[in-house]
């Protein structure tokens, strides 16, 4: 793994949850990390734990919705031989009915999931193509397979990310660079719990961060898309022609997930 994806990985959204799991598993393979996230404290805690495995770790506390962030990241990593970009910073940052919601907050969802992702992927993609090896792992969501009420912008952004990864996979394979969209379902992360999701619903398929990160790294060469956590059949159902009953069913599932009293 280190020969293809090392010696350095850049992990956007690397302070906790799935991002931290990536950092730990890459450290086990001897790969150093640059961890990027908004909150300095969890960022520092994860960095210290990963360093204990004998690798180097740099941190950058930046909000990726800030237009200046991509340039700062480029500058901070300019002296490193980066072999892997993991873009794990696309959590849903705002949920609201589209026509009555805050346009600025919705723009942040687009900036985090599309604008910043494109900027970093272009920069590191150029570097990886030039070195003739490496990988780009974009973390997606099952939300991108079907529109849902109050997260319509987020769902659309995730659909964009998947189709973008498919095209990028075709382009960069000619340069020896692996591209994978790792599609997550419900995953037990701090961000999910802060969002108030009800993870205790009977029959709900809840994945662990370590497991989905491991799947992503194991299948990085099997792009363009990998459905994590045993959700392949659920995605196939969502990806069919969007009949009204399927759309309403997805809406009801999201309502139950967001309402612990239901």
């Amino acid at each position: 793994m280190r020969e293809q994806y090392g010696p350095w990985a850049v992990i956007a959204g690397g302070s906790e949850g799935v991002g931290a799991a990536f950092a730990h598993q890459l450290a086990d393979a001897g790969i150093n990390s640059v961890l990027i996230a908004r909150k300095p404290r969890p960022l520092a805690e994860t960095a210290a734990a990963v360093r204990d495995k004998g690798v180097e770790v740099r941190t950058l506390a930046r909000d990726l919705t800030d237009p200046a962030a991509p340039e700062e990241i480029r500058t901070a990593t300019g002296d490193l031989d980066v072999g892997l970009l993991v873009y794990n910073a696309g959590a849903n940052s705002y949920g609201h009915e589209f026509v009555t919601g805050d346009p600025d907050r919705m723009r942040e969802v687009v900036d985090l999931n599309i604008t910043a992702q494109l900027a970093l992927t272009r920069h590191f993609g150029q570097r990886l193509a030039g070195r003739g090896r490496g990988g780009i792992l974009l973390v997606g969501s099952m939300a991108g397979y079907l529109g849902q009420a109050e997260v319509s912008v987020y769902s659309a952004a995730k659909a964009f990310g998947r189709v973008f990864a498919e095209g990028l996979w075709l382009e960069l394979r000619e340069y020896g660079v692996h591209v994978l969209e790792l599609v997550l379902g419900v995953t037990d992360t701090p961000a999910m719990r802060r969002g108030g999701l009800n993870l205790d619903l009977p029959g709900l398929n809840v994945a662990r961060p370590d497991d989905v990160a491991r799947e992503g790294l194991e299948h990085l060469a099997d792009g363009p898309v990998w459905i994590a956590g045993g959700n392949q059949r659920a995605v196939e159902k969502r990806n069919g022609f969007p009949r009204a009953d399927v759309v309403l069913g997805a809406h009801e599932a999201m309502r139950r997930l967001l309402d612990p009293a239901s």
Side-chain angles (χ1 to χ4, degrees):
M1 179 180 287
R2 193 175 191 276
E3 182 178 348
Q4 174 72 18
Y5 305 122
W8 283 87
V10 173
I11 306 175
S15 62
E16 60 183 22
V18 178
F22 276 122
H24 279 283
Q25 292 176 26
L26 289 168
D28 291 338
I31 296 176
N32 310 305
S33 293
V34 179
L35 305 181
I36 305 164
R38 288 188 302 114
K39 299 177 181 179
R41 182 174 177 179
L43 194 59
E45 291 172 350
T46 296
V50 174
R51 286 191 190 101
D52 286 343
K53 297 191 171 186
V55 297
E56 295 182 62
V57 181
R58 293 186 186 181
T59 61
L60 190 59
R62 294 298 288 118
D63 182 347
L64 287 168
T65 64
D66 183 344
E71 182 57 37
E72 293 181 7
I73 294 167
R74 287 192 286 266
T75 300
T77 58
D79 62 326
L80 302 178
D81 184 11
V82 175
L84 176 64
L85 170 66
V86 177
Y87 197 89
N88 178 59
N92 184 32
S93 54
Y94 182 66
H96 202 284
E97 184 183 62
F98 179 74
V99 296
T100 60
D102 183 341
D104 291 333
R105 294 295 308 279
M106 292 180 183
R107 190 175 299 111
E108 289 179 356
V109 175
V110 173
D111 288 343
L112 182 62
N113 285 278
I114 297 179
T115 308
Q117 178 174 258
L118 290 182
L120 293 184
T121 300
R122 185 172 191 274
H123 171 68
F124 289 107
Q126 286 179 332
R127 292 179 60 177
L128 295 172
R131 80 204 284 264
R133 67 186 190 282
I136 296 174
L137 194 157
L138 308 177
V139 176
S141 169
M142 286 175 62
Y145 284 90
L146 188 68
Q148 298 170 64
E150 300 190 359
V151 289
S152 58
V153 175
Y154 174 71
S155 296
K158 287 304 186 184
F160 173 94
R162 185 183 73 257
V163 176
F164 168 62
E166 291 171 350
L168 191 67
W169 174 78
L170 288 169
E171 294 175 358
L172 291 183
R173 63 187 303 194
E174 306 300 326
Y175 297 93
V177 178
H178 301 154
V179 176
L180 181 73
E181 166 91 348
L182 179 66
V183 178
L184 304 189
V186 178
T187 308
D188 189 359
T189 66
M192 282 279 193
R193 292 192 173 274
R194 285 194 299 270
L197 295 185
N198 182 9
L199 302 180
D200 299 320
L201 289 172
L204 185 65
N205 181 21
V206 181
R208 297 175 59 252
D210 286 344
D211 293 335
V212 295
R214 186 172 299 106
E215 278 194 70
L217 294 176
E218 288 178 349
H219 294 282
L220 187 45
D222 301 327
V225 176
W226 184 265
I227 313 298
N231 289 304
Q232 181 69 35
R233 292 188 65 184
V235 164
E236 289 173 358
K237 182 177 180 180
R238 286 182 174 220
N239 203 36
F241 190 83
R243 306 185 315 271
D245 60 326
V246 176
V247 175
L248 288 171
H251 172 67
E252 174 62 18
M254 179 59 71
R255 186 192 67 78
R256 293 177 64 222
L257 197 59
L258 289 169
D259 183 6
S262 65

